[in-house]
Amino acid sequence: MNIWVLDMDSGVTLLYKNFMNLPVNEDLVSGLLTALNQFTVMEFKQGIESIDMGGLRWVYIPDKDSNLLFIAAGGKDTKAEMLRAQLNVIKQAFRQEYIEKNGEWRKNWNGNIEMFKPFKKKIEEFHSHWIAAETITTIAEFFDILGIFQQILNLLVNVIEDHLSSESKSNIYDRIDKMFHRFSNLKMVKEHPELSKITFSRDSGFNIISINPNNCDFMLVEKQIISLISSVVEIIKEEIGHLSSLDYFVKTNIFEYIFNNLNLLKELHLEQFLLQLFLTKQSN
């Protein structure tokens, strides 16, 4: 598996991490990959999703908000769905580390790609987990669930940061801090250490994508993350009211994200849960 993070317009490689040796120059490959995607966008009005080329399977995931293109290459025996799920986890982690934290990061970026090199360690961690878990047939679904829930949590942080008063923001964060303190002391968390990787801080927000799928009970983790998201949404609704919450959920593009990913959410049986969570009024 090899990973590229590219600027969609220029084709500049922000980050490249290889686990396979390719007999070509990585910069030439980057230019070719970007050009292929630009060609399909111009000619067919949509980018490449996956392609078999040069004895490898390639998967593309564009991120229009940041104008970045995430690409993964694996052996031809690698399922495109699996490769896409893993790449999506990398994309979410990269966004959280360099984009969500820094806002208008591109305006402040001086073109030095050295700032992205530390992220290679994170990719190595993910890769080691995935190698160990290759025999688990439901791993792709698990990655999809983690990616969706991480993005929902990121959007909820945007609601709090971008739309609420300082007082409401402080009240909500105080309640979330207390909730995580209780969570960390649960016997269940001590018995299942991977749950302790569900974290929150006021500086960096929520993080659930560091969980090692090889060391956890999928159903247990999903249940706890669903409980976490439900609690955060209810805390927001209790603080500012149902109608104001709906307004900010719309403005922060939560519903747009749900509808743009509706097919995947249906496959994962999450669409009804998310729509009810954000649309319905909390019970008294």
Side-chain angles (χ1 to χ4, degrees):
M1 181 183 191
N2 288 8
I3 304 294
W4 287 262
V5 181
L6 308 174
D7 180 89
M8 277 204 281
D9 290 333
S10 67
V12 170
T13 304
L14 275 61
L15 181 72
Y16 171 66
K17 177 61 185 175
N18 67 306
F19 297 96
M20 306 181 297
N21 290 323
L22 296 180
V24 290
N25 181 279
E26 68 177 77
D27 291 327
L28 291 176
V29 173
S30 300
L32 173 62
L33 295 175
T34 306
L36 281 173
N37 190 66
Q38 290 174 340
F39 173 77
T40 58
V41 169
M42 291 177 61
E43 294 297 323
F44 304 108
K45 309 306 178 186
Q46 64 180 29
I48 296 171
E49 293 185 357
S50 66
I51 186 173
D52 290 349
M53 179 176 63
L56 298 172
R57 178 152 291 154
W58 306 77
V59 168
Y60 285 60
I61 299 181
D63 187 71
K64 294 181 180 179
D65 290 341
S66 60
N67 203 38
L68 297 179
L69 184 62
F70 294 79
I71 301 175
K76 272 197 172 181
D77 57 342
T78 305
K79 291 184 178 179
E81 294 82 2
M82 176 76 76
L83 204 56
R84 179 178 301 280
Q86 293 173 346
L87 182 60
N88 192 53
V89 170
I90 291 172
K91 185 194 83 167
Q92 297 289 356
F94 188 90
R95 280 187 55 88
Q96 186 174 26
E97 183 66 27
Y98 295 105
I99 299 171
E100 307 289 349
K101 286 183 181 179
N102 298 312
E104 296 293 329
W105 68 278
R106 191 177 286 274
K107 292 181 180 178
N108 301 321
W109 180 47
N110 62 7
N112 182 6
I113 63 173
E114 293 296 314
M115 65 176 287
F116 303 111
K117 279 192 174 180
F119 192 75
K120 290 186 178 184
K121 290 289 185 183
K122 176 65 70 174
I123 296 178
E124 289 171 0
E125 290 177 13
F126 287 143
H127 187 259
S128 65
H129 294 168
W130 298 335
I131 290 297
E134 279 183 345
T135 57
I136 302 175
T137 57
T138 58
I139 193 72
E141 180 177 306
F142 183 75
F143 284 134
D144 281 336
I145 290 171
L146 283 186
I148 286 169
F149 284 158
Q150 181 66 65
Q151 185 60 22
I152 291 291
L153 288 167
N154 292 344
L155 291 170
L156 287 172
V157 170
N158 290 346
V159 170
I160 298 168
E161 288 292 326
D162 297 343
H163 298 288
L164 304 191
S165 67
S166 297
E167 181 180 359
S168 291
K169 189 185 304 183
S170 178
N171 291 341
I172 290 172
Y173 281 153
D174 284 345
R175 292 184 62 181
I176 293 175
D177 282 336
K178 291 176 182 177
M179 179 177 69
F180 267 86
H181 179 72
R182 292 192 299 269
F183 176 76
S184 64
N185 290 320
L186 291 175
K187 180 181 178 182
M188 172 186 59
V189 176
K190 293 178 171 55
E191 292 175 346
H192 300 274
E194 285 302 307
L195 289 175
S196 66
K197 295 181 180 178
I198 301 174
T199 61
F200 169 78
S201 75
R202 300 191 185 203
D203 292 331
S204 57
F206 299 93
N207 179 27
I208 63 173
I209 55 178
S210 297
I211 296 171
N212 182 351
N214 196 48
N215 292 337
C216 71
D217 180 327
F218 289 177
M219 297 300 294
L220 177 64
V221 170
E222 182 180 5
K223 179 181 177 182
Q224 293 307 311
I225 296 174
I226 285 175
S227 177
L228 164 64
I229 292 175
S230 300
S231 296
V232 173
V233 171
E234 291 306 309
I235 288 172
I236 292 173
K237 289 180 180 179
E238 288 173 6
E239 178 64 30
I240 63 174
H242 177 67
L243 292 179
S244 293
S245 298
L246 271 179
D247 183 37
Y248 295 145
F249 294 158
V250 171
K251 289 179 178 177
T252 316
N253 298 322
I254 288 177
F255 293 112
E256 180 180 344
Y257 176 78
I258 291 173
F259 287 116
N260 285 344
N261 293 276
L262 198 57
N263 288 337
L264 176 59
L265 291 172
K266 285 181 178 179
E267 292 176 8
L268 300 173
H269 308 291
L270 292 174
E271 82 284 5
Q272 186 174 355
F273 158 69
L274 288 174
L275 288 172
Q276 287 182 344
L277 177 64
F278 288 107
L279 286 172
T280 58
K281 191 173 183 179
Q282 68 190 72
S283 56
N284 295 321

